[in-house]
Amino acid sequence: MSRREDYEAKTEALLLPIAESFGVSVYDVEYIKEGSDYYLRAFIDKPEGVNIIDCENVSRALSDALDREDFIAESYILEVSSPGLGRTLKKDKHLAASIGQEVEIKLFKPVENCREFSGELKGFDDAGITILDGEQERTFPRGQIALIRLAFDF
């Protein structure tokens, strides 16, 4: 397990009971370097959507827990937020909850001269992700997918 994965797993373990106590669920945790700064991001969710008070409550409690445990060596910026409308679908639990919804897929390399596809998420397995693009069902190998997220129109 990499340092990033270790930090994310330990943070998620701390976050789960905190989130539950405030009536929200943990969507994802990521530890990432952007420029010269490290960010520890916790994404929380609930059916009616999270608000700023939810984020503030969870952030304060998580910050206290992280200070007590002190397992992250580098200085970092803690952010707690909603995964948003165009949320990235990183884990199988995200995909399972999104079956039947419109998604956007970006590929590392073009297929049929195109790197971006959209359609209804029909299914997934360890090998690939299947969408209904118009009337055509397309399956993309997971290793070719750079990003998959929920689509949204305004």
Side-chain angles (χ1 to χ4, degrees), residues 1-2 16 41 82-83 93 102 106 121 123 127 132 140 148:
M1 180 179 288
S2 71
L16 285 168
R41 294 189 175 115
S82 161
K93 70 178 184 177
E102 283 288 310
K106 292 186 180 185
L121 180 60
L132 183 61
F140 300 98
I148 179 168

Side-chain angles (χ1 to χ4, degrees), residues 7-114:
Y7 290 170
E8 290 172 354
K10 287 179 178 177
T11 300
E12 188 164 345
L14 286 176
L15 181 56
L16 285 168
I18 292 168
E20 186 177 307
S21 74
F22 288 108
V24 298
S25 62
V26 176
Y27 185 79
D28 200 9
V29 173
E30 71 178 13
Y31 182 76
I32 191 165
K33 185 173 184 179
E34 292 179 358
S36 61
D37 296 318
Y38 285 94
Y39 289 85
L40 179 61
R41 294 189 175 115
F43 299 97
I44 58 173
D45 204 8
K46 63 183 181 185
E48 63 275 16
V50 297
N51 58 43
I52 192 72
I53 302 301
D54 296 322
C55 294
E56 181 180 348
N57 289 336
V58 170
S59 179
R60 287 178 191 219
L62 179 58
S63 179
D64 290 345
L66 288 164
D67 287 346
R68 275 191 310 277
E69 297 296 321
D70 198 28
F71 57 82
I72 300 177
E74 304 82 19
S75 63
Y76 60 90
I77 299 164
L78 175 63
E79 295 179 349
V80 176
S81 68
S82 161
L85 292 175
R87 61 190 60 192
T88 302
L89 308 176
K90 294 181 181 178
K91 301 177 179 177
D92 284 354
K93 70 178 184 177
H94 302 152
L95 292 166
S98 302
I99 297 288
Q101 296 185 48
E102 283 288 310
V103 297
E104 296 173 345
I105 293 179
K106 292 186 180 185
L107 304 175
F108 288 114
K109 295 181 180 178
V111 171
E112 300 170 11
N113 295 320
C114 190

Side-chain angles (χ1 to χ4, degrees), residues 91-92 95 123-130 139-145:
K91 301 177 179 177
D92 284 354
L95 292 166
F124 66 95
D125 58 25
D126 290 341
I129 295 174
T130 302
T139 299
F140 300 98
R142 284 193 180 215
Q144 290 182 4
I145 298 173

